[in-house]
Amino acid sequence: MRLRFLSVALILLVLSFTSACSEDETTVVREPTSEEVTLSIATGTVYGTLVVPGQNEPMPVVLIIAGSGPTDRDGNTNLLAGKNNSLKMLADSLLQRGYASLRYDKRGVASSQGAVTSEEALRFEDYVSDAVGWIEQLRQDGRFSEVVVLGHSEGSLIGMLAADEMKADAYISVAGVAQSADMLLLEQLATQPDFVQQEAREIIASLRQGQTVDAVSQTLLALFRPSVQPYLISWFQYQPMEVIQRLTQPVMIVQGTTDLQVPIKEAEQLAQALPSAQLQIIDGMNHILKTAPAESSANIATYTNPDLPLAPGLTDGITSFLNTKLK
């Protein structure tokens, strides 16, 4: 039996500025730049793309953290036969509004595949450590005045923890969850047959106790294969609603109404946990930040269509928040 898409999915420009010059100085016009950047970690190298507007004064930079599974810096996953380029589009859209951004392939994914020694050795804290490393690196770059962390889906919790540890200047959650990953996974499996749900409950109960499970049915092997269980154990311990309460910087929570993977109530619960946060619900936006209907098959079809633009209001809402909060 194949799991339905929702349960598998969980594991799954230009602005130019002239410098202020005196009468005897030559006006300098800088072009936007896109450069490959790297982060050295103990197990190898993590690769990313840094895009910078063509302006002379220091500017804010947004660290964009991708979601769960083998999702690369552009928002694409090799689990699907096609691209959506959602995170690349977000970076390009921020660039047009004068914001630099850095997005990267998580360790073990795409160009950063060699940065993982084995799947068994990977832990959720490794992703947090990488985000912390990028923040440190960006802060040492004199081109940037503030560092903003934006996490999508699973990247929401990764970014939340990193923003708290490094006291980032602002934090943005996009399609992030409020409950722990084990609870969300059980919720997403609720549409499966009873015997599948029962096995999942038993496996998750064991993982919550820090105990791996050797025998996993073929039906659930993609989610609970033995090699990924140590990672799940490390991930399940975090409660996003508790983590977000620790944040003291400006916080924005963004959620779409046609997201098949993360319901609106997750964003609402995050906002309730931190009343000072700004909540934006975008009508018709799905999990990959595109406009899509609520009907499942048509919604999922957008996951492999790179020609669809970002949902209206997404970038405007983010930049309006930053324009206000970073003053």
Side-chain angles (χ1 to χ4, degrees), residues 16-44:
S16 295
F17 294 82
T18 57
S19 59
C21 301
S22 60
E23 291 181 358
D24 59 345
E25 290 179 315
T26 302
T27 298
V28 177
V29 178
R30 295 183 179 178
E31 294 295 328
T33 61
S34 177
E35 55 193 86
E36 186 83 355
V37 290
T38 60
L39 177 72
S40 296
I41 60 176
T43 55

Side-chain angles (χ1 to χ4, degrees), residues 70-183:
T71 304
D72 66 16
R73 72 186 82 178
D74 292 338
N76 303 315
T77 172
N78 61 18
L79 297 177
L80 299 174
K83 298 181 178 181
N84 62 73
N85 286 337
S86 56
L87 299 185
K88 181 181 186 299
M89 290 180 177
L90 180 58
D92 291 342
S93 189
L94 289 170
L95 180 67
Q96 293 171 6
R97 290 159 174 81
Y99 283 89
S101 68
L102 190 156
R103 64 191 194 277
Y104 61 97
D105 296 329
K106 298 179 300 181
R107 64 169 76 186
V109 176
S111 297
S112 304
Q113 185 173 2
V116 170
T117 56
S118 67
E119 186 174 64
E120 293 88 343
L122 185 64
R123 300 294 183 272
F124 189 80
E125 292 81 9
D126 294 330
Y127 288 147
V128 178
S129 176
D130 294 347
V132 165
W134 284 118
I135 295 171
E136 291 177 327
Q137 193 161 300
L138 290 170
R139 279 188 169 155
Q140 294 170 7
D141 192 323
R143 291 175 292 180
F144 307 126
S145 54
E146 295 98 359
V147 178
V148 177
V149 176
L150 185 153
H152 174 254
S153 191
E154 181 192 33
S156 168
L157 178 56
I158 295 169
M160 201 182 294
L161 289 161
D164 177 50
E165 179 176 342
M166 295 301 295
K167 305 306 176 189
D169 295 285
Y171 165 73
I172 302 170
S173 169
V174 181
V177 300
Q179 58 188 317
S180 58
D182 55 316
M183 297 303 296

Side-chain angles (χ1 to χ4, degrees), residues 297-320:
S297 60
N299 193 308
I300 293 170
T302 68
Y303 284 58
T304 53
N305 186 347
D307 296 326
L308 294 175
L310 294 176
L314 174 63
T315 311
D316 287 342
I318 290 172
T319 54
S320 176

Side-chain angles (χ1 to χ4, degrees), residues 1-4 7-8 189 192-193 195-197 199 203 216-224:
M1 178 180 295
R2 292 173 57 88
L3 284 177
R4 296 177 185 173
S7 55
V8 173
L189 287 169
Q192 301 300 317
F195 74 92
V196 174
Q197 294 186 57
E199 182 186 3
I203 293 173
V216 180
S217 69
Q218 190 64 37
T219 302
L220 287 172
L221 195 60
L223 283 174
F224 298 117

